Amino acid sequence: MDLPEPLWIILAVTLPFLCGVGLVVTDLTRRGALRNGVARGVACAASLLTGGALAVAVISDAEVDVEWIAALNVRFHLGIDDVSVPLVFTAAAAVFVACAIGRPVRQSRFPAAYHGLILIIGALGLTALLARDAVLLALALQAVVVALWFLARAASVEPAPDSTRFLLLAVAGSTLVLGGVLTLSGSAGTGDLDAWASPGVIGTGNQTTVAALILVGLATLIPLWPLHTWAPAVHAHASAGSSVLIAGVLATAAVHAVIRLVVAPLPHGLATVAPVLAAAAAIGVVWAGLAALVERDLARIVGWISIAHLSLIMLAISSGSATGLQVAILGTVAHAAVVVLLVVLVGDLREQWGSTDLATARAALREAAPRLGFAFVAAVAAATAVPGLAGFWTQVGSISAAWSPGPDRTEGWFRLFAVLAVVGLVVLGAVAARLMRDVWSGDRTRPEVVDLRVRGPHTMALLVPTVGVLLLVVVAIGVYPVAILDFTADAVDAIVGVLP
Amino acid sequence: MISASTISWPEFPVPEFTIPGLGPDSPVHDVPGEPVHWLILLPVAAALATIVLVRRSSRAAAWFNAGFAFLAVVVAAYLAYTVGQSGDAAQAGTIGTLPFGELSVPLELRIDRIQALIAVLVALIGFGVQVFARWYLWFDPRYRVFASTVSITTAGLLLLVVSDDVVLTLAGWQVLSWATFLLIGHSSTRDAVNRSASRTLIITRIADAALLLGLVALAVPAGTTSITGLVDFWTGVNPMTGVELGGGQQTVLAAGLILVVVGVLGRAAQFPFQDWLPDSIHAPTPATALLHSVTVVGAAAVVLISLLDVLPHSTAAVTMLAFAAAISTVGGALLAFVQPDLKRALAWSTTSQAGLVLGALVLAAQSADPLHGPDGAVAHLTAHGIGKALLFLTIGWLAVLTGGTAVVQLSGTARLYRSVRAPMAIGLLSVAGVPPTIGFLSAMLMIGDAERAMQPEAAGAATVAIIAAMGAAVPLTAAYCMRAWLVLSHRTEVHSTPGRELDDFFEESDVEAEAIGVEEAESAISSTARLVIVGLMIAAVLGGLLLFTPALRTDVEISLQLLVAAPLIMVCAAAAVWVASRGVRSRDAAARIPAPLALACERGLGMGRLYRIAVATPVLHMAHGVQWLDREVIDGYVRGTGHAAHLSGELIDRTDVSTSGTSTMVARINASDTAADGQASRPALPVGSSEQHGTRAIAGPADTADTSVSVDAAEAADPVDGSDVDRAVRFDIRVLVGAVVILLLLGVVF
């Protein structure tokens, strides 16, 4: 190819954005012009092309850097480094999955706008992941939140969804992030993340305040206890596609932002607030486990599981060691894979059951739909950190990281948090036992559930290949995590090495 | 430490031939990978092949699983041979070092003499179970899943056995938890099965968590997850060699070891975690055979063996292990005697025997003599594995013949079905430790260990407890074995009444038909499954020959008194049981025990109830508490903010001159909603309202305004009313504006 290198990285962001905007505009101006299948096809193709463009951009190490808002010294600066590669591809894959599973037939109003919105969110999320400028990152994150809120609300499975708390918390959170970032870039005179990461650019003065500000903001997006209440609620009412984007794009971008905006530039600030952050994370694991134990709604349980995993990841990050950071990156990819798989399966069950209420008597999945049951068992096993599946490494790694935290951290406290997190893991095991009993085993075979491979009117589009590929990914990460860890090792060492 | 060298496949002189297109320089190589890899990969491959390739055919699944299991036996035997020959441990890497930052995670495998022996045992029993399962689950539509789960269990166990890395140990260990859950819950349509399966999962997850934390606590300060490395670290700085452990490190070591011990106790179904094991008899017979023979005891023993050099450094951990093992040994044997279900009795016997193995390990750990490894424990593990597999498979066969495993159903059946007599007898003799079975020899080895442990002045409370439990186990084990044998083998009334010899024609034909039925029933077992039982029988009898191979070090000195006394005690106990059984119709000596006590014993002395009261109920209460806090307190603040946003949004909306009629109506609705509470300060939500109530309360204005009007609903209600959409959008924008106002306020505060 004799195309200029920056083109690929621009393409990776603009292609889904333009396609998305095109789809939305077409749908809103000429209703019914695009049928559901066509819209889905276009969206899938666009997300695949995005992935391809990203791959080329990674190989060619593309970078683009143009001036954007001169007054604030904000540049439109995109680039890829080793830390962002796994996360960028995770987000791109999540966008593809969100497009591929499509929308159930009976909710097919504005199909093109729905798929267009997914693409736009994907483009914004990729921007947040690729951004090398802090303000650009924060703005993209905020845009993702607002777009996700539109999607979650417009494509809700409930007639009157209660999504206000999502909007409030997430917008508030991303605004705090923006405030923190603007403060920093004002004092440092540049928003360049690479410059921020090098020692001496950010003074040690008010690191603690800014780190706390940004972390509180990102904690709402991740989400972290006690700012998590929007997550189970949104997972319960949003369509499967929205949930996929929340787990695969928003959470990924938020964890990435923690690394970029806090861990790298503000090591002292992070060290000061780390005990609080770790405490929130450890409590979050137990809290999510206990809440899921008595939760009646399967979709909300998925939300809780996601919170538990992300809390483990934040526990690892707050430990401040290279181990923790490695685990956090691997764990974010694993979290996306596992939760997206769960969301897809639960979304399909919701279509078939009519709701996700576990108190209603359902057919035992193992009897009525053995293949779907198998996938469900694998997903739940992965969610409870069974070895050989993706979740295992998050569990082992974050506990190890918390057991011996980095410099400037109180060992005793972190060990206490490790114990708490382990208790949470036990509770998650109990949640798995409960899910198996409520959903998988039993002797009921009615009401009928359509198995994978059998196309029914209510099954999602491309469900079987999606589930198959996701299962493969979950197993691949579980068996061979070295692939991802090797990729990020040097960059992580560089980030942590900044610590004095 | 034993120095390790890499052992690979021998260089067979493979004739080199060229593959067209590859050129002459690419020879065909030997089998890739190390034998240790194949040991683990073969069962995994069997499971994968079954899941991916086999559609319906149970036959294909059986070929894959049993065939690969057989290959695993071959590899294990080869490894045992080479390791025995070289005398060194073999080492191999796996997926490469995990770049885990400061922590070195080499993920290596290591197999020495002891581990090779255990690997052979595991592979053999895994193979036997696969072959037997093919017959036992012949008509089971889920045979494929079962066979692959057994393969996964075997693989997890083998990984655990040969692991030299904490992470791999954890991986194997946790695979076992989940696989055990799936095996026990195989017949998932039955409620009792599901109950016991989920209980198993929860208890083993507790054990998992304890082991995870314990191993992390041991590995992280050492900076490496290599077991060899961490053992070197902790023993290298011990007081004996001069370097003092810091006080903090001593605490960490003790805590880590105690947690490891807790994990081991949970896995080995020792007191106080024993409750899940008796319930696991709901699993299909081949699964219970695997579980009770090697999974439960073997996994626990392997972890302790790998940490044997570190274990004595924490007296607390050793004492805890010793007392739990002693209690389980005696208690398990006592409960095994009383059970009215023989399969359940065997399960309790597993708890008891596992206690013996762990006890022997404590003795081995405490003997400071580096020459004495855990040979006694491993010999007993082998004896127990073979004996228990034999007994469980035979009792499963009997259950097929008789329809159950309760004493009432099995009474006298060993006399009726002659083929099960020999396996039952040999299995029970081996468990009881009667010469010349392998059980006897392992018991002798353990007694040798005990004798040696009695010698030094350092015999602490732990040693005393273990030796006392071992002493008590000798007659108790003999008693429950004798009781089971008497129940199985006594003459039933039908055959023993002398008057029946002169029966008339019809009754004779009845007897004849019954005899034919018995023969047919007995012959229904497939020859391969019968072969497994015969093989296990032979192993139980001739297994003692292991003592004369380099696999076990047998330089123990056993005093003649003990050698004579132990069988004498057994005979006395057996005689007592025989006397007690006289006069009971089913010859069940346990029938002499008062009914309430027997019932309590059957229920595991109320431990299940205790768990429910002490653990399950509080946890559930806590979970409900968390839900309530989450809904009413944490989310309450969020919703409160939502109200504030609404209000400020409304204020802005009112000042809007161009407010349309509909909008004022909305405002009025909202106002009426809020009027009662007063505009300025809307109070927090009523505490204690249900979730739906709460949700409605905050989303009240939203819902009233756009019950039928939200964007989505508006689309649904074709034709779309433009003003409705407008209203919905306007509402959303109001929320947005409100949010921004609050944020600005927050910004000012900051």
Side-chain angles (χ1 to χ4, degrees):
Chain A
M1 288 281 173
D2 51 352
L3 288 165
E5 277 175 7
L7 183 88
W8 293 109
I9 201 159
I10 295 176
L11 200 63
V13 175
T14 49
L15 175 86
F17 190 81
L18 292 179
C19 281
V21 171
L23 283 174
V24 172
V25 169
T26 317
D27 216 8
L28 293 184
T29 50
R30 300 175 52 210
R31 291 192 61 180
L34 286 171
R35 282 185 295 113
N36 196 6
V38 177
R40 195 174 64 231
V42 171
C44 284
S47 55
L48 275 182
L49 285 176
T50 308
L54 274 176
V56 179
V58 168
I59 293 167
S60 60
D61 207 7
E63 192 169 358
V64 59
D65 187 5
V66 289
E67 191 161 293
W68 186 28
I69 309 173
L72 287 172
N73 201 6
V74 179
R75 305 184 67 81
F76 191 81
H77 187 179
L78 300 178
I80 296 189
D81 69 356
D82 288 348
V83 169
S84 46
V85 168
L87 303 178
V88 165
F89 281 106
T90 305
V95 174
F96 175 73
V97 169
C99 294
I101 56 175
R103 242 178 133 183
V105 178
R106 62 186 161 77
Q107 296 181 4
S108 58
R109 298 213 157 256
F110 293 115
Y114 172 82
H115 288 103
L117 213 45
I118 289 179
L119 285 180
I120 292 173
I121 293 169
L124 294 170
L126 287 178
T127 313
L129 284 166
L130 294 170
R132 310 293 306 151
D133 186 282
V135 181
L136 177 63
L137 194 159
L139 285 175
L141 212 52
Q142 191 150 34
V144 168
V145 168
V146 174
L148 254 176
W149 172 71
F150 267 113
L151 184 72
R153 187 171 170 79
S156 156
V157 292
E158 283 170 18
D162 172 27
S163 56
T164 315
R165 64 163 75 75
F166 172 55
L167 182 73
L168 277 175
L169 278 172
V171 169
S174 50
T175 313
L176 284 181
V177 176
L178 190 59
V181 164
L182 285 174
T183 316
L184 270 187
S185 77
S187 67
T190 172
D192 188 36
L193 286 172
D194 294 327
W196 280 19
S198 50
V201 175
I202 308 276
T204 49
N206 56 352
Q207 279 207 2
T208 309
T209 322
V210 180
L213 198 67
I214 298 181
L215 278 175
V216 167
L218 289 173
T220 52
L221 302 185
I222 286 175
L224 202 61
W225 186 88
L227 300 165
H228 63 278
T229 48
W230 60 266
V234 171
H235 278 289
H237 75 68
S239 69
S242 322
S243 287
V244 166
L245 291 179
I246 287 171
V249 176
L250 180 60
T252 309
V255 173
H256 175 256
V258 171
I259 297 173
R260 291 288 183 217
L261 301 181
V262 182
V263 179
L266 302 167
H268 299 285
L270 178 64
T272 317
V273 297
V276 181
L277 184 65
I283 294 173
V285 182
V286 182
W287 190 273
L290 283 173
L293 198 56
V294 290
E295 183 62 70
R296 274 182 46 167
D297 189 325
L298 185 56
R300 283 180 68 96
I301 291 181
V302 174
W304 288 119
I305 287 176
S306 169
I307 292 175
H309 277 226
L310 291 163
S311 299
L312 280 176
I313 291 167
M314 288 312 288
L315 180 62
I317 288 189
S318 62
S319 80
S321 58
T323 312
L325 213 49
Q326 283 280 66
V327 169
I329 296 170
L330 179 64
T332 309
V333 179
H335 159 265
V338 172
V339 174
V340 165
L341 176 60
L342 267 173
V343 162
V344 169
L345 292 173
V346 169
D348 187 56
L349 284 177
R350 172 158 58 194
E351 292 314 313
Q352 304 204 29
W353 288 349
S355 82
T356 41
D357 188 15
L358 287 178
T360 319
R362 318 268 189 204
L365 222 49
R366 194 183 197 198
E367 305 301 317
R371 287 203 180 86
L372 195 57
F374 176 80
F376 186 74
V377 171
V380 171
T384 50
V386 172
L389 302 172
F392 177 68
W393 303 106
T394 322
Q395 166 208 3
V396 175
S398 63
I399 302 296
S400 307
W403 192 264
S404 85
D408 299 339
R409 283 154 175 88
T410 325
E411 206 169 48
W413 280 111
F414 272 83
R415 291 193 172 163
L416 178 70
F417 300 146
V419 174
L420 257 183
V422 167
V423 171
L425 286 171
V426 173
V427 182
L428 269 187
V431 172
R434 183 199 160 201
L435 280 180
M436 292 287 99
R437 248 177 110 173
D438 281 0
V439 180
W440 184 65
S441 57
D443 58 351
R444 293 179 64 95
T445 50
R446 302 267 136 198
E448 217 161 88
V449 176
V450 181
D451 203 354
L452 293 177
R453 278 168 175 272
V454 188
R455 297 291 301 274
H458 290 308
T459 50
M460 292 173 177
L462 291 181
L463 180 67
V464 183
T466 312
V467 169
V469 170
L470 282 171
L471 277 176
L472 279 182
V473 170
V474 165
V475 171
I477 300 174
V479 174
Y480 201 70
V482 182
I484 296 173
L485 289 173
D486 269 340
F487 219 102
T488 54
D490 292 339
V492 161
D493 283 345
I495 290 177
V496 177
V498 171
L499 280 169
Chain B
M1 292 312 299
I2 305 162
S3 68
S5 70
T6 306
I7 293 179
S8 54
W9 299 94
E11 297 288 325
F12 291 118
V14 180
E16 292 190 4
F17 61 91
T18 53
I19 297 172
L22 283 181
D25 292 331
S26 36
V28 176
H29 290 287
D30 281 345
V31 185
E34 306 278 331
V36 190
H37 297 152
W38 286 98
L39 189 63
I40 300 157
L41 285 181
L42 281 169
V44 173
L48 279 184
T50 313
I51 291 169
V52 175
L53 298 179
V54 181
R55 286 275 160 264
R56 287 229 167 69
S57 158
S58 289
R59 181 193 301 257
W63 274 110
F64 272 126
N65 286 288
F68 280 54
F70 178 72
L71 292 179
V73 173
V74 172
V75 174
Y78 171 80
L79 272 169
Y81 175 73
T82 48
V83 171
Q85 286 293 307
S86 71
D88 284 345
Q91 217 153 24
T94 47
I95 53 173
T97 306
L98 217 56
F100 246 18
E102 294 90 352
L103 199 59
S104 142
V105 189
L107 294 183
E108 280 184 346
L109 303 174
R110 182 175 186 280
I111 186 162
D112 63 9
R113 180 177 58 89
I114 295 285
Q115 288 165 332
L117 179 61
I118 302 177
V120 171
L121 175 75
V122 169
L124 261 179
I125 288 179
F127 172 59
V129 163
Q130 286 285 9
V131 172
F132 192 86
R134 168 64 174 141
W135 166 71
Y136 192 85
L137 298 175
W138 192 274
F139 296 110
D140 193 318
R142 299 225 163 93
Y143 167 73
R144 292 187 303 120
V145 181
F146 182 83
S148 5
T149 316
V150 169
S151 284
I152 291 286
T153 314
T154 319
L157 203 45
L158 287 171
L159 176 63
L160 190 59
V161 170
V162 300
S163 144
D164 187 33
D165 195 295
V166 163
V167 174
L168 291 179
T169 302
L170 281 172
W173 183 274
Q174 300 196 356
V175 162
L176 284 187
S177 304
W178 198 263
T180 308
F181 162 73
L182 289 178
L183 283 179
I184 292 179
H186 178 72
S187 321
S188 61
T189 48
R190 286 168 52 206
D191 207 35
V193 171
N194 290 333
R195 228 185 354 257
S196 75
S198 46
R199 191 190 309 175
T200 304
L201 184 62
I202 294 172
I203 294 185
T204 49
R205 284 302 289 181
I206 293 174
D208 287 356
L211 190 81
L212 166 68
L213 206 54
L215 288 183
V216 163
L218 291 181
V220 171
T224 174
T225 58
S226 152
I227 291 179
T228 323
L230 78 88
V231 168
D232 280 348
F233 174 80
W234 290 111
T235 52
V237 289
N238 77 49
M240 289 177 184
T241 53
V243 189
E244 291 280 331
L245 275 180
Q249 277 193 315
Q250 193 69 53
T251 321
V252 168
L253 176 63
L257 284 177
I258 287 176
L259 283 167
V260 169
V261 165
V262 169
V264 162
L265 295 178
R267 163 70 63 204
Q270 300 290 288
F271 179 80
F273 300 106
Q274 77 286 22
D275 204 49
W276 64 273
L277 195 62
D279 267 0
S280 70
I281 57 161
H282 292 299
T285 284
T288 44
L290 183 68
L291 195 64
H292 289 260
S293 61
V294 283
T295 312
V296 166
V297 196
V302 161
V303 169
L304 281 187
I305 287 172
S306 62
L307 295 174
L308 208 58
D309 292 339
V310 193
L311 196 59
H313 291 252
S314 163
T315 324
V318 171
T319 315
M320 196 173 127
L321 176 62
F323 275 92
I327 293 172
S328 312
T329 307
V330 179
L334 284 173
L335 288 175
F337 184 78
V338 188
Q339 299 303 316
D341 184 309
L342 284 192
K343 208 175 170 188
R344 201 175 268 269
L346 288 182
W348 279 112
S349 147
T350 302
T351 294
S352 169
Q353 299 285 315
L356 282 177
V357 173
L358 298 186
L361 281 174
V362 170
L363 295 184
Q366 290 213 314
S367 75
D369 186 358
L371 279 178
H372 284 291
D375 293 89
V378 172
H380 196 65
L381 170 64
T382 315
H384 164 79
I386 292 173
K388 246 338 129 50
L390 177 60
L391 281 178
F392 266 105
L393 292 183
T394 314
I395 213 163
W397 180 13
L398 256 179
V400 171
L401 295 174
T402 58
T405 53
V407 164
V408 215
Q409 285 158 310
L410 291 184
S411 176
T413 41
R415 192 162 284 275
L416 187 61
Y417 301 106
R418 291 263 160 186
S419 338
V420 300
R421 259 179 91 84
M424 265 299 174
I426 290 176
L428 288 173
L429 286 177
S430 176
V431 169
V434 175
T437 56
I438 184 175
F440 168 69
L441 292 161
S442 71
M444 287 303 106
L445 277 184
M446 282 202 298
I447 288 174
D449 277 351
E451 220 181 316
R452 199 172 50 242
M454 273 191 284
Q455 310 290 352
E457 53 290 342
T463 320
V464 173
I466 293 291
I467 291 176
M470 280 183 174
V474 173
L476 289 177
T477 313
Y480 70 70
C481 290
M482 186 65 181
R483 176 237 175 186
W485 177 248
L486 285 174
V487 166
L488 285 168
S489 69
H490 77 87
R491 249 173 226 286
T492 47
E493 297 292 316
V494 187
H495 296 282
S496 60
T497 322
R500 289 291 172 92
E501 303 293 332
L502 306 170
D503 273 345
D504 60 13
F505 177 73
F506 295 104
E507 287 198 6
E508 260 181 24
S509 89
D510 259 8
V511 171
E512 198 178 328
E514 197 185 336
I516 293 170
V518 164
E519 206 163 289
E520 277 178 355
E522 281 186 344
S523 64
I525 189 170
S526 75
S527 50
T528 42
R530 202 185 273 241
L531 212 59
V532 170
I533 288 180
V534 171
L536 284 171
M537 264 162 68
I538 294 173
V541 176
L542 299 182
L545 294 178
L546 265 181
L547 293 187
F548 307 107
T549 64
L552 284 176
R553 290 213 184 107
T554 53
D555 47 349
V556 285
E557 291 148 18
I558 303 164
S559 65
L560 196 64
Q561 294 98 309
L562 272 179
L563 206 57
V564 177
L568 262 182
I569 296 173
M570 288 182 206
V571 170
C572 290
V577 171
W578 183 77
V579 169
S581 72
R582 301 292 295 169
V584 181
R585 193 164 166 276
S586 60
R587 297 297 297 274
D588 181 6
R592 300 271 180 201
I593 298 192
L597 183 61
L599 205 63
C601 289
E602 191 193 349
R603 291 175 183 161
L605 296 177
M607 277 302 276
R609 218 175 113 79
L610 190 66
Y611 281 137
R612 222 173 29 250
I613 295 171
V615 182
T617 317
V619 167
L620 280 180
H621 278 306
M622 226 152 79
H624 282 292
V626 160
Q627 278 266 347
W628 181 84
L629 279 175
D630 198 74
R631 196 172 56 229
E632 304 298 348
V633 180
I634 296 186
D635 202 32
Y637 285 112
V638 179
R639 289 184 306 223
T641 326
H643 287 306
H646 269 296
L647 284 177
S648 40
E650 265 168 39
L651 288 177
I652 291 164
D653 195 47
R654 295 229 178 133
T655 55
D656 188 356
V657 195
S658 67
T659 310
S660 69
T662 27
S663 179
T664 3
M665 190 189 76
V666 174
R668 202 178 305 131
I669 293 169
N670 290 342
S672 68
D673 198 54
T674 50
D677 313 328
Q679 291 271 15
S681 67
R682 194 184 168 91
L685 284 153
V687 168
S689 63
S690 77
E691 158 130 290
Q692 268 162 339
H693 187 150
T695 314
R696 275 210 75 75
I698 48 128
D703 286 352
T704 12
D706 56 8
T707 311
S708 60
V709 191
S710 77
V711 179
D712 216 37
E715 293 162 17
D718 241 354
V720 184
D721 184 351
S723 67
D724 281 356
V725 175
D726 179 44
R727 204 163 48 166
V729 170
R730 176 186 291 273
F731 161 71
D732 289 345
I733 288 171
R734 248 189 297 162
V735 175
L736 208 59
V737 169
V740 170
V741 167
I742 287 173
L743 288 174
L744 286 178
L745 282 175
L746 274 177
V748 169
V749 171
F750 267 111

